[in-house]
Amino acid sequence: MRKLAIAAICCAISAAASVPTVLKLDASKDGAPVQPTMYGLFFEDINYAADGGLYAEKIKNRSFEFPNALTGWIPFGKVSVAESGGPFERNPRYVTLAQEPHNSKHTGLQNEGFFGVSFKKGEEYRFSVYGRHGQSGPATIRVELVDPASKGESMVVASAKINVDKAGWSKYTANLVPGKSVSKGVLRVFLEKNPAGSVDIDHVSLFPVDTWNGHENGLRKDIATALADIKPGLLRFPGGCIVEGTEIPDRYQWKNTVGPVENRPLNINRWQFEFQHRFSPDYYQSYGLGFYEYFLFAEEIGAEPLPVLNVGMVCQYENPDPKVQVPVDSLDEYIQDAIDLIEFANGDTNTTWGGLRASMGHPEPFNLKFLAIGNEQWGPEYVERLEPFVKALRKAHPEIKIVGSSGPSADGKHFDYLWPEMRRLGADLVDEHYYQSAEWFRDNAARYDNYDRRGPKVFAGEYACHPRGRKFNHFDASLLEAAFMTGLERNADIVQMATYAPLLAHEEGWQWRPDMVWFNGDTVNLTASYFVQRMYARNKGTNVASLLADGKPLTGQDGLYASAVFDADTDTYIVKIVNINKEAAPFEIILDKLPKKAVLGSVECVAMGPTSDPDANYYSADMLGESVIAAPAVEKRSARLSFTVAPRTFALYRIPVQ
Ligand code: AHR
């Protein structure tokens, strides 16, 4: 129904009462190339985006390394924690399960997962554990997937037994197929009574077998697929403020996130405590989704990786005193980390870090081209630290493009100081962040029209519309993002990357909103902002096309916005129009100076209109109106296309040239 309604509105030959806005598209020349990196994704482990989110592991605190060794676990019977001696040097703790003397009593552990352990009927889950038996010989453990709220006779929905038959640490696995779908399940590990004996266990893990691309240490398929569907050209990782940390030891260190997953040391997640009103005491980083998994995912979805590394500074919001930052003459380790990351990504397999990449399963290079140094840093303290990085990187890796920061906001003191400094240092791109009001997004579609074209390009690295009093996901915010993005597209000669932020949020564990994609243990819920990003990314074209109303770009005059690109791969013009008004807006596009003998094909239209509930958080693909306009006739190398854009609608038109 909805599809038909929108089709009728957006594609009706114009019969509206008001005067159409006439847009002239100059087809005589290709404008600036639109970079393949233009529309991308910004991943940060905020809102349980990694552990409990994209990373498919279902067990919380699997290595017992949280400050309280049993966070997430309920022990029963004779359970003890050893502080050291486990099989993994950097995760030294392990747990011993010993027999209860009375036959009716049990020993074991129960894990609550991330807001519950969810599992689906008929799907396969891989349980794994490192174990060794005690002195009295082999011992058996029983693993169960449990529905604690079950009204049936048994709460157990799947179970398996594992015989721990070695005295030394070994990995044991068992696959479980639940007979029932459960959202808020738990995992139980019992020490069996017979044969008697004790067992030591560590790194208790449960993954769906069906992960993204079937990787064992893999990503949740539904979330990864939603991200891949955008067809992003860029994947920024791992943040965000998480790069900085609150204190130097808890900054993000990429070297802790590679190599065997069991031996990656735990780190606190700064989003645990950032907002006291959204405090998340069990938020840590296992680094199961580390730099190898990141590079691999970027490659698999066709996105250029853009790592962000610590510049020797902790979060300046939390540490306003410049003296707490790493002294400028002590940055060698940090600079070496950057150089080593390039080796990990691109180096020969006979190098230290290239060899590690190969041993993890990817001998071919990942072809890293970009590196950001520092997240939202500001002031001379940032510049004086960035400078030695730039010098060292230019010398060691002149092929890598360096991204610098313009601070935490779209303008103001830090921004005005940093842009000239980035020019002076020769940064290739400058990262701009704007979480701004509805009015700002409405009024800033021309932001880049007169930007200084000399020097670094722009990376709109974090942005989202945060309407005052309505700072959550809804259609109105996304419509203004779409309007603003016409200005990114028109200025693709200078804006070469753009990533909405943040990307992911767990419905029960978020700290920050709005976010592009929401999820719980079972499902993924997409937002209108997601579809705006998807429409742009899938229709980015190859070159900007000149599109003018009365000789000027349409940047919000009368609440209307427009931009256009040509896609040389499909010989198609793609026009994007946003109407933020409550009234429909008639348009005429004159395609002028078409190639001799050019013929146009029928025009595909996709329109994104408002949700019936204005506060609805989610949006779905079946709400997009799709329709076709008959091929416009070409006369004297010119064609005219008339249509009406519905009230409060983002519409795009694909006009093929045959
Ligand atoms: O996207 C959330 C946070 O916003 C990022 O971590 C930070 O860079 C910005 O302040």
Side-chain angles (χ1 to χ4, degrees), residues 385-438:
R385 285 170 179 77
L386 178 61
E387 194 155 4
F389 275 84
V390 173
K391 281 194 182 134
L393 285 167
R394 291 293 184 226
K395 194 164 166 219
H397 288 286
E399 75 284 6
I400 295 289
K401 288 202 175 354
I402 299 175
V403 182
S405 165
S406 63
S409 50
D411 49 26
K413 175 173 111 186
H414 298 313
F415 184 91
D416 293 344
Y417 165 72
L418 282 172
W419 252 102
E421 287 297 307
M422 292 305 117
R423 263 195 196 95
R424 181 179 69 79
L425 293 183
D428 295 291
L429 291 113
V430 174
D431 184 5
E432 297 188 352
H433 292 183
Y434 23 87
Y435 297 103
Q436 295 281 356
S437 66

Side-chain angles (χ1 to χ4, degrees), residues 42 44 46 236 239-242 244 270-271 317 375-376 408 433 435 462 501-502 512:
F42 159 57
E44 176 169 23
I46 182 173
R236 175 180 167 205
C241 293
I242 209 158
E244 305 159 19
R270 70 178 314 278
W271 296 108
Y317 285 115
N375 173 46
E376 241 173 29
H433 292 183
Y435 297 103
E462 289 183 34
W512 178 297

